[in-house]
Each structure stands twice: as C-alpha cells, then as structure tokens.
Amino acid sequence: MSQNPCSWIRSRLDPAARLRLICFPYAGGTASLFYSWEQHFPKGIQVFPIELPGRATRIGEPMPKSVAELVDRILDEAAPYFDRPVTLFGHSLGALVAFELARAMDRRQMLSPARLFVSASRAPQVPRRQPPIHHLEDREFIQAMAKINGTPDEILKHQELLHLLLPALRADFRLAETYQYIPGQRLSCAITAIGGQEDALTTRGDLVAWHSQTTGAFNLRIVPGAHFFLQSHASSVAKLVANTISQV
C-alpha cells in the first residue's frame, strides 16, 4: 500500500490493483455508504468511496459552489488515484458528479473511464422536476428532506446533530439544484443506469435517456427499492456492479 491518502479518498492505494472503482454518494451521504462494497469484488479491483467536504472527517470544510468546481478539485487533489483504469459509480447527485468527472477526464485527455454507473438519477439533459429546497429556512428545509426519505429519522430528530449537518446538506442540495447541463461531446465509455422499482423521483424514461450520453454500450438495470435503494439494498447494488465489471 502507498503513503498517506488524500482528503477525498481515505483508503490507501494498492499498487497491485488493476482497476479502481470510484464511488460518489447522494446528497447528504457519506463515504461510509460504500465501506462494505469491497467484499463483493474480486482481487485486483479496489473500491474508493469519495468523502465530500462538510461531513464525517471533513466536517467544517466548505463544499465547492458548482459540480464543475468540485470535479476539478477532485482531479487536481486526487490525481494519484487516476494512474490506471477507473470505473465511476454515482447515486442521485453522485451520478451527475460522476458523469461530469468522466467528461472532465476526456477534456484533460486522461484515460477514459472503463464504465460509468449512474444510479437513481435522471440523465443530465432531462430537466429537473422537483422544486428547489436549498434556499428554504431551516425548519422548512428539514421538512422537505423528511418527505424525500433520504435522511435517517434519528438524525432528523436529533437537533444538535442536525444543526451540525445542515450546512453540508444544504450545500449538497444547492449543488444538485443549480446544476446546469452543457451539451458536449458524448462519452466513449459504456454506461449502466440503475433504477429502483419503487422510485417515485426517477422514472424509467429518466434512466433510459442516459443512452444519448455515450457512443458506447448502454444498459438499464432495475433493482428493488425506492429512491434510496443504495442504502436499503446495498449488497444487491454492489453485487450488480461487481458482476457487470467482471463480465467486461
């Protein structure tokens, strides 16, 4: 293993890894969502969860104001993790970040991702239907988050903890709600879109629309669960990703 990990990725580099899977959580999520994933992957594939600013070990760090700024910082500050083939996975907001990261890698003439997994997310060119909430007063913002069912009740009911996490939650939602898609060259990597059977926020059409973002292969997989199936069916999603990578 290598020296000190960077702030974005806490795991140490394994020089024997042939492929790195870089994972992005949903708004308000942490790297811990992916800590159990590595057990589902064969030796040679290393899982790297991204820890975004403002939470966990990075509490107090400000979130970049745009997805583009976020992506540039990751590529600049986590450069050693991109020295060999990578596959990208993102859920909801994380899917848009992973997509823009793949585009930025192409612009920088880096090795293109081996595959992009977009989970519980509309394609970037599909307009956002949900009204923005990041600008709401704290009480209204908390109520709106509760309706989405992505934040555990124990956090919503713990006033002191919620107060500590609100800046990061609000920053994440601002990032998602102010994201603006700029048409450009399509990706060359394959895209796998993953949706939840009971997801009321992301439709099948939203997922299928991802096919226009690549000149490579596209496939759609549906798994049990609502919008946050990454949390409720973590093992199923990890196995799906591992099986898809192994078949290529």
Side-chain angles (χ1 to χ4, degrees), residues 118-239:
V118 289
S119 178
S121 173
R122 74 189 195 284
Q125 74 275 14
V126 176
R128 183 182 176 87
R129 292 183 297 274
Q130 292 81 29
I133 67 171
H134 73 273
H135 63 287
L136 298 176
E137 295 293 333
D138 285 355
R139 184 176 178 181
E140 294 175 324
F141 180 66
I142 293 167
Q143 290 173 342
M145 283 197 305
K147 290 179 181 178
I148 299 173
N149 294 323
T151 306
D153 287 341
E154 56 267 28
I155 292 179
L156 292 174
K157 294 176 181 178
H158 193 303
Q159 293 298 314
E160 188 174 336
L161 178 59
L162 189 57
H163 179 74
L164 188 66
L165 296 177
L166 267 181
L169 288 165
R170 193 182 293 280
D172 284 6
F173 275 90
R174 182 183 65 227
L175 209 65
E177 293 168 354
T178 60
Y179 170 78
Q180 292 186 326
Y181 169 67
I182 300 174
Q185 186 173 341
R186 290 192 288 174
L187 298 173
S188 59
C189 66
I191 295 179
T192 295
I194 308 172
Q197 288 176 344
E198 295 85 40
D199 189 348
L201 300 178
T202 308
T203 69
R204 188 181 185 91
D206 292 339
L207 296 163
V208 170
W210 279 99
H211 85 277
S212 66
Q213 292 297 334
T214 181
T215 59
F218 171 82
N219 63 322
L220 172 66
R221 300 295 300 273
I222 302 298
V223 300
H227 188 68
F228 293 96
F229 58 81
L230 177 64
Q231 191 176 51
S232 59
H233 294 78
S235 293
S236 297
V237 179
K239 289 175 184 176

Side-chain angles (χ1 to χ4, degrees), residues 22-54:
I22 298 177
C23 303
F24 294 88
Y26 48 74
T30 67
S32 63
L33 287 163
F34 305 101
Y35 285 171
S36 65
W37 275 38
E38 191 130 19
Q39 63 183 304
H40 300 291
F41 289 80
K43 187 176 181 181
I45 298 178
Q46 193 172 14
V47 179
F48 285 121
I50 290 287
E51 192 74 90
L52 296 173

Side-chain angles (χ1 to χ4, degrees), residues 91-114:
H91 188 93
S92 198
L93 166 63
L96 295 177
V97 176
F99 167 69
E100 290 296 347
L101 179 64
R103 297 175 99 192
M105 290 171 68
D106 280 352
R107 287 195 299 271
R108 295 189 183 204
Q109 297 184 324
M110 299 168 64
L111 184 65
S112 293

